[in-house]
Amino acid sequence: MVVQKSARRLYLLHHDKVLEAYDIGLGFSPAGDKKIEGDGKTPEGMYFIDRRNPNSNFHLSVGISYPNPVDRAEAADLGKSPGGDIFIHGRPWKNRKGGRDWTAGCIAVTNREMEDIYAMVRDGTPITIRP
């Protein structure tokens, strides 16, 4: 998986071939890398899908392994928590009119797209999030 934050696109890949591409929403403060809890930014870097939630408040969700050791060290240098619970998820009814970038740092797609992602992506899948 590759996320291009500036293009607001998520790509599902098989080797170098794009299988699917989705428009995405990001954190409410989308420019820049997530550094600390509550900054509203979506992280940038190399992670992997590390969990699944079929009972998510956001339709379905798959977890991203943020924070990694580099993220933890950067936040510690600032004397802050890096935060966590970064997911790719759907859009609940209550956020249906929330604009494009409305999450606390997660990556949002439509509920139908999330069903496809949930079915296709396995735990351990690498995800690169680029500016």
Side-chain angles (χ1 to χ4, degrees):
M1 299 179 79
V2 173
V3 171
Q4 292 284 359
K5 287 174 52 176
S6 61
R8 302 296 195 282
R9 299 285 283 171
L10 180 150
Y11 301 94
L12 296 185
L13 306 171
H14 180 71
H15 301 293
D16 293 343
K17 182 181 177 195
V18 175
L19 300 176
E20 299 287 344
Y22 304 100
D23 290 327
I24 59 171
L26 300 169
F28 61 83
S29 181
D33 187 14
K34 182 166 196 63
K35 297 292 182 195
I36 60 171
E37 184 173 17
D39 64 8
K41 297 185 181 301
T42 301
E44 298 170 0
M46 298 180 69
Y47 304 96
F48 60 90
I49 301 302
D50 65 352
R51 60 202 182 279
R52 308 165 72 70
N53 185 356
N55 301 312
S56 171
N57 290 332
F58 299 91
H59 189 57
L60 295 168
S61 62
V62 292
I64 297 172
S65 63
Y66 175 88
N68 64 28
V70 171
D71 300 317
R72 285 187 191 91
E74 287 176 344
D77 287 347
L78 298 170
K80 304 281 186 176
S81 166
D85 286 337
I86 302 296
F87 287 85
I88 301 169
H89 59 64
R91 188 173 190 124
W93 184 250
K94 70 177 183 164
N95 295 104
R96 70 193 179 282
K97 295 181 182 177
R100 179 172 223 172
D101 297 324
W102 59 273
T103 76
C106 295
I107 298 164
V109 294
T110 69
N111 289 350
R112 179 68 186 112
E113 292 167 341
M114 191 61 230
E115 290 168 8
D116 292 342
I117 292 166
Y118 195 87
M120 293 173 66
V121 174
R122 301 287 171 244
D123 288 0
T125 299
I127 179 169
T128 301
I129 305 172
R130 297 180 179 149

PDB file of all heavy atoms in Angstrom, residues 5 8 25-44 66 80-87 89 98 100-108 129:
ATOM      1  N   LYS A   5      -0.117  11.673   0.362  1.00  0.00           N
ATOM      2  CA  LYS A   5      -0.941  12.641   1.085  1.00  0.00           C
ATOM      3  C   LYS A   5      -1.274  13.864   0.224  1.00  0.00           C
ATOM      4  O   LYS A   5      -2.426  14.299   0.213  1.00  0.00           O
ATOM      5  CB  LYS A   5      -0.243  13.077   2.384  1.00  0.00           C
ATOM      6  CG  LYS A   5      -0.246  12.004   3.447  1.00  0.00           C
ATOM      7  CD  LYS A   5       0.561  12.367   4.681  1.00  0.00           C
ATOM      8  CE  LYS A   5       0.251  13.678   5.296  1.00  0.00           C
ATOM      9  NZ  LYS A   5       0.996  13.941   6.537  1.00  0.00           N
ATOM     10  N   ARG A   8      -3.910  13.111  -2.068  1.00  0.00           N
ATOM     11  CA  ARG A   8      -5.076  12.530  -1.387  1.00  0.00           C
ATOM     12  C   ARG A   8      -5.481  11.219  -2.068  1.00  0.00           C
ATOM     13  O   ARG A   8      -6.638  10.988  -2.381  1.00  0.00           O
ATOM     14  CB  ARG A   8      -6.272  13.481  -1.358  1.00  0.00           C
ATOM     15  CG  ARG A   8      -6.041  14.830  -0.703  1.00  0.00           C
ATOM     16  CD  ARG A   8      -5.716  14.660   0.781  1.00  0.00           C
ATOM     17  NE  ARG A   8      -5.819  15.892   1.529  1.00  0.00           N
ATOM     18  CZ  ARG A   8      -4.898  16.860   1.529  1.00  0.00           C
ATOM     19  NH1 ARG A   8      -3.823  16.761   0.787  1.00  0.00           N
ATOM     20  NH2 ARG A   8      -5.069  17.932   2.263  1.00  0.00           N
ATOM     21  N   GLY A  25      -9.407  11.007   2.684  1.00  0.00           N
ATOM     22  CA  GLY A  25      -9.375  12.129   3.600  1.00  0.00           C
ATOM     23  C   GLY A  25      -8.281  11.862   4.621  1.00  0.00           C
ATOM     24  O   GLY A  25      -7.935  10.703   4.889  1.00  0.00           O
ATOM     25  N   LEU A  26      -7.743  12.920   5.195  1.00  0.00           N
ATOM     26  CA  LEU A  26      -6.638  12.808   6.147  1.00  0.00           C
ATOM     27  C   LEU A  26      -7.010  13.489   7.461  1.00  0.00           C
ATOM     28  O   LEU A  26      -8.154  13.873   7.675  1.00  0.00           O
ATOM     29  CB  LEU A  26      -5.386  13.452   5.552  1.00  0.00           C
ATOM     30  CG  LEU A  26      -4.874  12.850   4.246  1.00  0.00           C
ATOM     31  CD1 LEU A  26      -3.794  13.736   3.638  1.00  0.00           C
ATOM     32  CD2 LEU A  26      -4.353  11.441   4.467  1.00  0.00           C
ATOM     33  N   GLY A  27      -6.002  13.662   8.299  1.00  0.00           N
ATOM     34  CA  GLY A  27      -6.184  14.391   9.539  1.00  0.00           C
ATOM     35  C   GLY A  27      -6.591  15.827   9.281  1.00  0.00           C
ATOM     36  O   GLY A  27      -6.317  16.387   8.215  1.00  0.00           O
ATOM     37  N   PHE A  28      -7.227  16.453  10.266  1.00  0.00           N
ATOM     38  CA  PHE A  28      -7.764  17.808  10.086  1.00  0.00           C
ATOM     39  C   PHE A  28      -6.688  18.864   9.883  1.00  0.00           C
ATOM     40  O   PHE A  28      -6.974  19.994   9.525  1.00  0.00           O
ATOM     41  CB  PHE A  28      -8.703  18.193  11.229  1.00  0.00           C
ATOM     42  CG  PHE A  28      -8.067  18.207  12.591  1.00  0.00           C
ATOM     43  CD1 PHE A  28      -7.344  19.299  13.038  1.00  0.00           C
ATOM     44  CD2 PHE A  28      -8.222  17.127  13.455  1.00  0.00           C
ATOM     45  CE1 PHE A  28      -6.768  19.322  14.299  1.00  0.00           C
ATOM     46  CE2 PHE A  28      -7.659  17.135  14.718  1.00  0.00           C
ATOM     47  CZ  PHE A  28      -6.928  18.230  15.146  1.00  0.00           C
ATOM     48  N   SER A  29      -5.421  18.508  10.113  1.00  0.00           N
ATOM     49  CA  SER A  29      -4.288  19.394   9.848  1.00  0.00           C
ATOM     50  C   SER A  29      -3.308  18.625   8.964  1.00  0.00           C
ATOM     51  O   SER A  29      -2.274  18.159   9.433  1.00  0.00           O
ATOM     52  CB  SER A  29      -3.643  19.812  11.174  1.00  0.00           C
ATOM     53  OG  SER A  29      -2.566  20.688  10.956  1.00  0.00           O
ATOM     54  N   PRO A  30      -3.631  18.463   7.672  1.00  0.00           N
ATOM     55  CA  PRO A  30      -2.954  17.457   6.849  1.00  0.00           C
ATOM     56  C   PRO A  30      -1.509  17.735   6.449  1.00  0.00           C
ATOM     57  O   PRO A  30      -0.782  16.805   6.140  1.00  0.00           O
ATOM     58  CB  PRO A  30      -3.838  17.371   5.609  1.00  0.00           C
ATOM     59  CG  PRO A  30      -4.506  18.689   5.527  1.00  0.00           C
ATOM     60  CD  PRO A  30      -4.704  19.135   6.951  1.00  0.00           C
ATOM     61  N   ALA A  31      -1.067  18.976   6.445  1.00  0.00           N
ATOM     62  CA  ALA A  31       0.295  19.266   5.991  1.00  0.00           C
ATOM     63  C   ALA A  31       1.310  18.844   7.045  1.00  0.00           C
ATOM     64  O   ALA A  31       1.162  19.145   8.228  1.00  0.00           O
ATOM     65  CB  ALA A  31       0.449  20.746   5.685  1.00  0.00           C
ATOM     66  N   GLY A  32       2.344  18.137   6.616  1.00  0.00           N
ATOM     67  CA  GLY A  32       3.422  17.745   7.513  1.00  0.00           C
ATOM     68  C   GLY A  32       3.198  16.396   8.169  1.00  0.00           C
ATOM     69  O   GLY A  32       2.134  15.796   8.087  1.00  0.00           O
ATOM     70  N   ASP A  33       4.249  15.920   8.812  1.00  0.00           N
ATOM     71  CA  ASP A  33       4.288  14.615   9.463  1.00  0.00           C
ATOM     72  C   ASP A  33       3.740  14.694  10.881  1.00  0.00           C
ATOM     73  O   ASP A  33       3.978  15.677  11.585  1.00  0.00           O
ATOM     74  CB  ASP A  33       5.747  14.141   9.490  1.00  0.00           C
ATOM     75  CG  ASP A  33       5.916  12.720   9.983  1.00  0.00           C
ATOM     76  OD1 ASP A  33       4.926  11.971  10.061  1.00  0.00           O
ATOM     77  OD2 ASP A  33       7.075  12.355  10.278  1.00  0.00           O
ATOM     78  N   LYS A  34       3.033  13.663  11.291  1.00  0.00           N
ATOM     79  CA  LYS A  34       2.557  13.584  12.671  1.00  0.00           C
ATOM     80  C   LYS A  34       3.757  13.519  13.606  1.00  0.00           C
ATOM     81  O   LYS A  34       4.672  12.742  13.399  1.00  0.00           O
ATOM     82  CB  LYS A  34       1.684  12.342  12.868  1.00  0.00           C
ATOM     83  CG  LYS A  34       1.130  12.245  14.273  1.00  0.00           C
ATOM     84  CD  LYS A  34       0.020  11.219  14.333  1.00  0.00           C
ATOM     85  CE  LYS A  34      -0.782  11.383  15.602  1.00  0.00           C
ATOM     86  NZ  LYS A  34      -1.468  12.670  15.690  1.00  0.00           N
ATOM     87  N   LYS A  35       3.762  14.346  14.622  1.00  0.00           N
ATOM     88  CA  LYS A  35       4.847  14.365  15.607  1.00  0.00           C
ATOM     89  C   LYS A  35       4.360  14.012  17.003  1.00  0.00           C
ATOM     90  O   LYS A  35       5.055  13.328  17.743  1.00  0.00           O
ATOM     91  CB  LYS A  35       5.518  15.738  15.654  1.00  0.00           C
ATOM     92  CG  LYS A  35       6.187  16.146  14.366  1.00  0.00           C
ATOM     93  CD  LYS A  35       7.382  15.299  14.074  1.00  0.00           C
ATOM     94  CE  LYS A  35       8.068  15.755  12.796  1.00  0.00           C
ATOM     95  NZ  LYS A  35       9.004  14.779  12.292  1.00  0.00           N
ATOM     96  N   ILE A  36       3.170  14.534  17.365  1.00  0.00           N
ATOM     97  CA  ILE A  36       2.681  14.331  18.734  1.00  0.00           C
ATOM     98  C   ILE A  36       1.177  14.071  18.730  1.00  0.00           C
ATOM     99  O   ILE A  36       0.466  14.426  17.788  1.00  0.00           O
ATOM    100  CB  ILE A  36       2.989  15.550  19.634  1.00  0.00           C
ATOM    101  CG1 ILE A  36       2.336  16.809  19.084  1.00  0.00           C
ATOM    102  CG2 ILE A  36       4.495  15.724  19.809  1.00  0.00           C
ATOM    103  CD1 ILE A  36       2.404  18.008  20.010  1.00  0.00           C
ATOM    104  N   GLU A  37       0.739  13.481  19.794  1.00  0.00           N
ATOM    105  CA  GLU A  37      -0.680  13.211  19.980  1.00  0.00           C
ATOM    106  C   GLU A  37      -1.481  14.509  19.921  1.00  0.00           C
ATOM    107  O   GLU A  37      -1.086  15.528  20.478  1.00  0.00           O
ATOM    108  CB  GLU A  37      -0.874  12.551  21.349  1.00  0.00           C
ATOM    109  CG  GLU A  37      -2.284  12.126  21.648  1.00  0.00           C
ATOM    110  CD  GLU A  37      -2.372  11.331  22.940  1.00  0.00           C
ATOM    111  OE1 GLU A  37      -1.430  11.388  23.758  1.00  0.00           O
ATOM    112  OE2 GLU A  37      -3.388  10.663  23.113  1.00  0.00           O
ATOM    113  N   GLY A  38      -2.578  14.474  19.168  1.00  0.00           N
ATOM    114  CA  GLY A  38      -3.476  15.609  19.113  1.00  0.00           C
ATOM    115  C   GLY A  38      -3.133  16.665  18.079  1.00  0.00           C
ATOM    116  O   GLY A  38      -3.838  17.670  17.981  1.00  0.00           O
ATOM    117  N   ASP A  39      -2.079  16.449  17.272  1.00  0.00           N
ATOM    118  CA  ASP A  39      -1.708  17.485  16.298  1.00  0.00           C
ATOM    119  C   ASP A  39      -2.553  17.446  15.024  1.00  0.00           C
ATOM    120  O   ASP A  39      -2.430  18.327  14.172  1.00  0.00           O
ATOM    121  CB  ASP A  39      -0.209  17.446  15.968  1.00  0.00           C
ATOM    122  CG  ASP A  39       0.257  16.171  15.283  1.00  0.00           C
ATOM    123  OD1 ASP A  39      -0.585  15.330  14.900  1.00  0.00           O
ATOM    124  OD2 ASP A  39       1.492  16.014  15.128  1.00  0.00           O
ATOM    125  N   GLY A  40      -3.416  16.442  14.884  1.00  0.00           N
ATOM    126  CA  GLY A  40      -4.315  16.371  13.737  1.00  0.00           C
ATOM    127  C   GLY A  40      -3.642  16.005  12.432  1.00  0.00           C
ATOM    128  O   GLY A  40      -4.222  16.155  11.367  1.00  0.00           O
ATOM    129  N   LYS A  41      -2.409  15.518  12.508  1.00  0.00           N
ATOM    130  CA  LYS A  41      -1.663  15.170  11.304  1.00  0.00           C
ATOM    131  C   LYS A  41      -1.681  13.661  11.070  1.00  0.00           C
ATOM    132  O   LYS A  41      -1.749  12.891  12.007  1.00  0.00           O
ATOM    133  CB  LYS A  41      -0.223  15.665  11.414  1.00  0.00           C
ATOM    134  CG  LYS A  41      -0.152  17.184  11.512  1.00  0.00           C
ATOM    135  CD  LYS A  41       1.272  17.667  11.493  1.00  0.00           C
ATOM    136  CE  LYS A  41       1.346  19.166  11.625  1.00  0.00           C
ATOM    137  NZ  LYS A  41       0.645  19.891  10.593  1.00  0.00           N
ATOM    138  N   THR A  42      -1.599  13.286   9.807  1.00  0.00           N
ATOM    139  CA  THR A  42      -1.463  11.893   9.428  1.00  0.00           C
ATOM    140  C   THR A  42       0.028  11.599   9.330  1.00  0.00           C
ATOM    141  O   THR A  42       0.776  12.373   8.729  1.00  0.00           O
ATOM    142  CB  THR A  42      -2.160  11.648   8.074  1.00  0.00           C
ATOM    143  OG1 THR A  42      -3.546  12.003   8.213  1.00  0.00           O
ATOM    144  CG2 THR A  42      -2.045  10.196   7.645  1.00  0.00           C
ATOM    145  N   PRO A  43       0.490  10.483   9.933  1.00  0.00           N
ATOM    146  CA  PRO A  43       1.930  10.206   9.918  1.00  0.00           C
ATOM    147  C   PRO A  43       2.465   9.971   8.513  1.00  0.00           C
ATOM    148  O   PRO A  43       1.717   9.660   7.588  1.00  0.00           O
ATOM    149  CB  PRO A  43       2.068   8.942  10.769  1.00  0.00           C
ATOM    150  CG  PRO A  43       0.720   8.349  10.850  1.00  0.00           C
ATOM    151  CD  PRO A  43      -0.267   9.450  10.627  1.00  0.00           C
ATOM    152  N   GLU A  44       3.778  10.120   8.389  1.00  0.00           N
ATOM    153  CA  GLU A  44       4.504   9.840   7.149  1.00  0.00           C
ATOM    154  C   GLU A  44       5.620   8.875   7.490  1.00  0.00           C
ATOM    155  O   GLU A  44       6.260   8.996   8.528  1.00  0.00           O
ATOM    156  CB  GLU A  44       5.080  11.130   6.563  1.00  0.00           C
ATOM    157  CG  GLU A  44       4.006  12.127   6.182  1.00  0.00           C
ATOM    158  CD  GLU A  44       4.547  13.507   5.817  1.00  0.00           C
ATOM    159  OE1 GLU A  44       5.782  13.719   5.848  1.00  0.00           O
ATOM    160  OE2 GLU A  44       3.722  14.386   5.512  1.00  0.00           O
ATOM    161  N   TYR A  66       1.671   2.767  13.498  1.00  0.00           N
ATOM    162  CA  TYR A  66       2.171   4.006  14.092  1.00  0.00           C
ATOM    163  C   TYR A  66       1.909   3.959  15.601  1.00  0.00           C
ATOM    164  O   TYR A  66       0.825   3.556  16.001  1.00  0.00           O
ATOM    165  CB  TYR A  66       1.461   5.222  13.491  1.00  0.00           C
ATOM    166  CG  TYR A  66       1.863   6.523  14.161  1.00  0.00           C
ATOM    167  CD1 TYR A  66       2.968   7.220  13.708  1.00  0.00           C
ATOM    168  CD2 TYR A  66       1.171   7.013  15.251  1.00  0.00           C
ATOM    169  CE1 TYR A  66       3.357   8.396  14.334  1.00  0.00           C
ATOM    170  CE2 TYR A  66       1.556   8.175  15.880  1.00  0.00           C
ATOM    171  CZ  TYR A  66       2.646   8.862  15.426  1.00  0.00           C
ATOM    172  OH  TYR A  66       3.042  10.007  16.047  1.00  0.00           O
ATOM    173  N   LYS A  80       6.774  14.817  24.577  1.00  0.00           N
ATOM    174  CA  LYS A  80       5.355  14.563  24.330  1.00  0.00           C
ATOM    175  C   LYS A  80       5.113  13.102  23.985  1.00  0.00           C
ATOM    176  O   LYS A  80       6.034  12.358  23.683  1.00  0.00           O
ATOM    177  CB  LYS A  80       4.849  15.422  23.155  1.00  0.00           C
ATOM    178  CG  LYS A  80       5.066  16.906  23.298  1.00  0.00           C
ATOM    179  CD  LYS A  80       4.038  17.511  24.186  1.00  0.00           C
ATOM    180  CE  LYS A  80       4.173  19.033  24.194  1.00  0.00           C
ATOM    181  NZ  LYS A  80       3.143  19.653  24.962  1.00  0.00           N
ATOM    182  N   SER A  81       3.847  12.732  23.961  1.00  0.00           N
ATOM    183  CA  SER A  81       3.422  11.411  23.492  1.00  0.00           C
ATOM    184  C   SER A  81       3.249  11.464  21.974  1.00  0.00           C
ATOM    185  O   SER A  81       2.724  12.459  21.451  1.00  0.00           O
ATOM    186  CB  SER A  81       2.090  11.029  24.131  1.00  0.00           C
ATOM    187  OG  SER A  81       1.513   9.916  23.462  1.00  0.00           O
ATOM    188  N   PRO A  82       3.644  10.390  21.255  1.00  0.00           N
ATOM    189  CA  PRO A  82       3.434  10.391  19.812  1.00  0.00           C
ATOM    190  C   PRO A  82       1.982  10.131  19.420  1.00  0.00           C
ATOM    191  O   PRO A  82       1.593  10.346  18.278  1.00  0.00           O
ATOM    192  CB  PRO A  82       4.329   9.253  19.324  1.00  0.00           C
ATOM    193  CG  PRO A  82       4.368   8.305  20.480  1.00  0.00           C
ATOM    194  CD  PRO A  82       4.341   9.188  21.701  1.00  0.00           C
ATOM    195  N   GLY A  83       1.184   9.685  20.362  1.00  0.00           N
ATOM    196  CA  GLY A  83      -0.184   9.291  20.038  1.00  0.00           C
ATOM    197  C   GLY A  83      -0.200   7.894  19.463  1.00  0.00           C
ATOM    198  O   GLY A  83       0.773   7.154  19.543  1.00  0.00           O
ATOM    199  N   GLY A  84      -1.298   7.517  18.863  1.00  0.00           N
ATOM    200  CA  GLY A  84      -1.444   6.172  18.305  1.00  0.00           C
ATOM    201  C   GLY A  84      -2.830   6.013  17.724  1.00  0.00           C
ATOM    202  O   GLY A  84      -3.513   6.994  17.435  1.00  0.00           O
ATOM    203  N   ASP A  85      -3.241   4.771  17.576  1.00  0.00           N
ATOM    204  CA  ASP A  85      -4.564   4.455  17.021  1.00  0.00           C
ATOM    205  C   ASP A  85      -4.801   5.123  15.679  1.00  0.00           C
ATOM    206  O   ASP A  85      -5.828   5.748  15.443  1.00  0.00           O
ATOM    207  CB  ASP A  85      -5.688   4.809  17.997  1.00  0.00           C
ATOM    208  CG  ASP A  85      -5.774   3.832  19.148  1.00  0.00           C
ATOM    209  OD1 ASP A  85      -5.296   2.692  18.996  1.00  0.00           O
ATOM    210  OD2 ASP A  85      -6.328   4.203  20.188  1.00  0.00           O
ATOM    211  N   ILE A  86      -3.847   4.965  14.774  1.00  0.00           N
ATOM    212  CA  ILE A  86      -3.988   5.462  13.415  1.00  0.00           C
ATOM    213  C   ILE A  86      -4.524   4.318  12.554  1.00  0.00           C
ATOM    214  O   ILE A  86      -3.956   3.226  12.544  1.00  0.00           O
ATOM    215  CB  ILE A  86      -2.651   5.995  12.855  1.00  0.00           C
ATOM    216  CG1 ILE A  86      -2.091   7.115  13.745  1.00  0.00           C
ATOM    217  CG2 ILE A  86      -2.812   6.448  11.410  1.00  0.00           C
ATOM    218  CD1 ILE A  86      -2.946   8.368  13.805  1.00  0.00           C
ATOM    219  N   PHE A  87      -5.613   4.576  11.855  1.00  0.00           N
ATOM    220  CA  PHE A  87      -6.301   3.551  11.069  1.00  0.00           C
ATOM    221  C   PHE A  87      -6.620   4.057   9.671  1.00  0.00           C
ATOM    222  O   PHE A  87      -6.685   5.264   9.426  1.00  0.00           O
ATOM    223  CB  PHE A  87      -7.632   3.181  11.731  1.00  0.00           C
ATOM    224  CG  PHE A  87      -7.502   2.367  12.977  1.00  0.00           C
ATOM    225  CD1 PHE A  87      -7.301   2.982  14.211  1.00  0.00           C
ATOM    226  CD2 PHE A  87      -7.600   0.989  12.942  1.00  0.00           C
ATOM    227  CE1 PHE A  87      -7.188   2.238  15.367  1.00  0.00           C
ATOM    228  CE2 PHE A  87      -7.493   0.236  14.089  1.00  0.00           C
ATOM    229  CZ  PHE A  87      -7.289   0.855  15.312  1.00  0.00           C
ATOM    230  N   HIS A  89      -9.995   3.833   7.622  1.00  0.00           N
ATOM    231  CA  HIS A  89     -11.370   3.503   8.003  1.00  0.00           C
ATOM    232  C   HIS A  89     -12.379   4.181   7.096  1.00  0.00           C
ATOM    233  O   HIS A  89     -12.036   5.032   6.273  1.00  0.00           O
ATOM    234  CB  HIS A  89     -11.636   3.848   9.466  1.00  0.00           C
ATOM    235  CG  HIS A  89     -11.441   5.274   9.848  1.00  0.00           C
ATOM    236  ND1 HIS A  89     -12.198   6.313   9.341  1.00  0.00           N
ATOM    237  CD2 HIS A  89     -10.556   5.844  10.708  1.00  0.00           C
ATOM    238  CE1 HIS A  89     -11.807   7.452   9.888  1.00  0.00           C
ATOM    239  NE2 HIS A  89     -10.799   7.200  10.705  1.00  0.00           N
ATOM    240  N   GLY A  98     -18.459  16.267   6.917  1.00  0.00           N
ATOM    241  CA  GLY A  98     -17.323  16.842   7.624  1.00  0.00           C
ATOM    242  C   GLY A  98     -16.217  17.403   6.765  1.00  0.00           C
ATOM    243  O   GLY A  98     -15.173  17.760   7.279  1.00  0.00           O
ATOM    244  N   ARG A 100     -13.282  17.163   3.568  1.00  0.00           N
ATOM    245  CA  ARG A 100     -12.354  16.133   3.107  1.00  0.00           C
ATOM    246  C   ARG A 100     -11.409  15.660   4.204  1.00  0.00           C
ATOM    247  O   ARG A 100     -11.201  14.470   4.378  1.00  0.00           O
ATOM    248  CB  ARG A 100     -11.560  16.656   1.925  1.00  0.00           C
ATOM    249  CG  ARG A 100     -10.573  15.634   1.415  1.00  0.00           C
ATOM    250  CD  ARG A 100      -9.923  16.055   0.143  1.00  0.00           C
ATOM    251  NE  ARG A 100      -9.888  14.886  -0.710  1.00  0.00           N
ATOM    252  CZ  ARG A 100      -9.523  14.899  -1.959  1.00  0.00           C
ATOM    253  NH1 ARG A 100      -9.203  16.019  -2.524  1.00  0.00           N
ATOM    254  NH2 ARG A 100      -9.499  13.809  -2.657  1.00  0.00           N
ATOM    255  N   ASP A 101     -10.779  16.558   4.921  1.00  0.00           N
ATOM    256  CA  ASP A 101      -9.792  16.206   5.949  1.00  0.00           C
ATOM    257  C   ASP A 101     -10.400  16.453   7.319  1.00  0.00           C
ATOM    258  O   ASP A 101     -10.384  17.566   7.828  1.00  0.00           O
ATOM    259  CB  ASP A 101      -8.516  17.019   5.742  1.00  0.00           C
ATOM    260  CG  ASP A 101      -7.848  16.713   4.414  1.00  0.00           C
ATOM    261  OD1 ASP A 101      -7.880  15.546   3.988  1.00  0.00           O
ATOM    262  OD2 ASP A 101      -7.293  17.641   3.803  1.00  0.00           O
ATOM    263  N   TRP A 102     -10.943  15.404   7.898  1.00  0.00           N
ATOM    264  CA  TRP A 102     -11.727  15.547   9.123  1.00  0.00           C
ATOM    265  C   TRP A 102     -11.283  14.623  10.246  1.00  0.00           C
ATOM    266  O   TRP A 102     -11.743  14.762  11.367  1.00  0.00           O
ATOM    267  CB  TRP A 102     -13.202  15.275   8.817  1.00  0.00           C
ATOM    268  CG  TRP A 102     -13.422  13.896   8.244  1.00  0.00           C
ATOM    269  CD1 TRP A 102     -13.341  13.536   6.934  1.00  0.00           C
ATOM    270  CD2 TRP A 102     -13.728  12.702   8.961  1.00  0.00           C
ATOM    271  NE1 TRP A 102     -13.572  12.199   6.794  1.00  0.00           N
ATOM    272  CE2 TRP A 102     -13.819  11.660   8.022  1.00  0.00           C
ATOM    273  CE3 TRP A 102     -13.938  12.415  10.321  1.00  0.00           C
ATOM    274  CZ2 TRP A 102     -14.102  10.340   8.385  1.00  0.00           C
ATOM    275  CZ3 TRP A 102     -14.219  11.110  10.681  1.00  0.00           C
ATOM    276  CH2 TRP A 102     -14.299  10.080   9.726  1.00  0.00           C
ATOM    277  N   THR A 103     -10.363  13.690   9.980  1.00  0.00           N
ATOM    278  CA  THR A 103      -9.994  12.718  11.012  1.00  0.00           C
ATOM    279  C   THR A 103      -8.991  13.330  11.995  1.00  0.00           C
ATOM    280  O   THR A 103      -8.482  14.425  11.783  1.00  0.00           O
ATOM    281  CB  THR A 103      -9.388  11.440  10.394  1.00  0.00           C
ATOM    282  OG1 THR A 103      -8.047  11.707   9.984  1.00  0.00           O
ATOM    283  CG2 THR A 103     -10.209  10.922   9.217  1.00  0.00           C
ATOM    284  N   ALA A 104      -8.677  12.578  13.035  1.00  0.00           N
ATOM    285  CA  ALA A 104      -7.677  13.019  14.007  1.00  0.00           C
ATOM    286  C   ALA A 104      -6.267  12.606  13.582  1.00  0.00           C
ATOM    287  O   ALA A 104      -5.325  12.769  14.347  1.00  0.00           O
ATOM    288  CB  ALA A 104      -8.008  12.454  15.387  1.00  0.00           C
ATOM    289  N   GLY A 105      -6.122  12.069  12.368  1.00  0.00           N
ATOM    290  CA  GLY A 105      -4.826  11.639  11.851  1.00  0.00           C
ATOM    291  C   GLY A 105      -4.918  10.360  11.040  1.00  0.00           C
ATOM    292  O   GLY A 105      -3.937   9.895  10.477  1.00  0.00           O
ATOM    293  N   CYS A 106      -6.109   9.801  10.972  1.00  0.00           N
ATOM    294  CA  CYS A 106      -6.338   8.564  10.211  1.00  0.00           C
ATOM    295  C   CYS A 106      -6.489   8.863   8.726  1.00  0.00           C
ATOM    296  O   CYS A 106      -6.466  10.011   8.308  1.00  0.00           O
ATOM    297  CB  CYS A 106      -7.593   7.862  10.725  1.00  0.00           C
ATOM    298  SG  CYS A 106      -7.453   7.275  12.434  1.00  0.00           S
ATOM    299  N   ILE A 107      -6.664   7.794   7.965  1.00  0.00           N
ATOM    300  CA  ILE A 107      -6.905   7.865   6.530  1.00  0.00           C
ATOM    301  C   ILE A 107      -8.320   7.369   6.301  1.00  0.00           C
ATOM    302  O   ILE A 107      -8.657   6.245   6.689  1.00  0.00           O
ATOM    303  CB  ILE A 107      -5.882   7.008   5.768  1.00  0.00           C
ATOM    304  CG1 ILE A 107      -4.471   7.541   6.024  1.00  0.00           C
ATOM    305  CG2 ILE A 107      -6.216   6.949   4.278  1.00  0.00           C
ATOM    306  CD1 ILE A 107      -3.362   6.585   5.643  1.00  0.00           C
ATOM    307  N   ALA A 108      -9.168   8.193   5.695  1.00  0.00           N
ATOM    308  CA  ALA A 108     -10.579   7.852   5.520  1.00  0.00           C
ATOM    309  C   ALA A 108     -10.913   7.635   4.051  1.00  0.00           C
ATOM    310  O   ALA A 108     -10.437   8.361   3.178  1.00  0.00           O
ATOM    311  CB  ALA A 108     -11.465   8.955   6.091  1.00  0.00           C
ATOM    312  N   ILE A 129       3.555   5.864   3.688  1.00  0.00           N
ATOM    313  CA  ILE A 129       2.787   7.097   3.656  1.00  0.00           C
ATOM    314  C   ILE A 129       3.759   8.218   3.309  1.00  0.00           C
ATOM    315  O   ILE A 129       4.679   8.508   4.067  1.00  0.00           O
ATOM    316  CB  ILE A 129       2.079   7.364   4.997  1.00  0.00           C
ATOM    317  CG1 ILE A 129       1.218   6.146   5.379  1.00  0.00           C
ATOM    318  CG2 ILE A 129       1.245   8.641   4.918  1.00  0.00           C
ATOM    319  CD1 ILE A 129       0.612   6.218   6.770  1.00  0.00           C
TER     320      ILE A 129
END
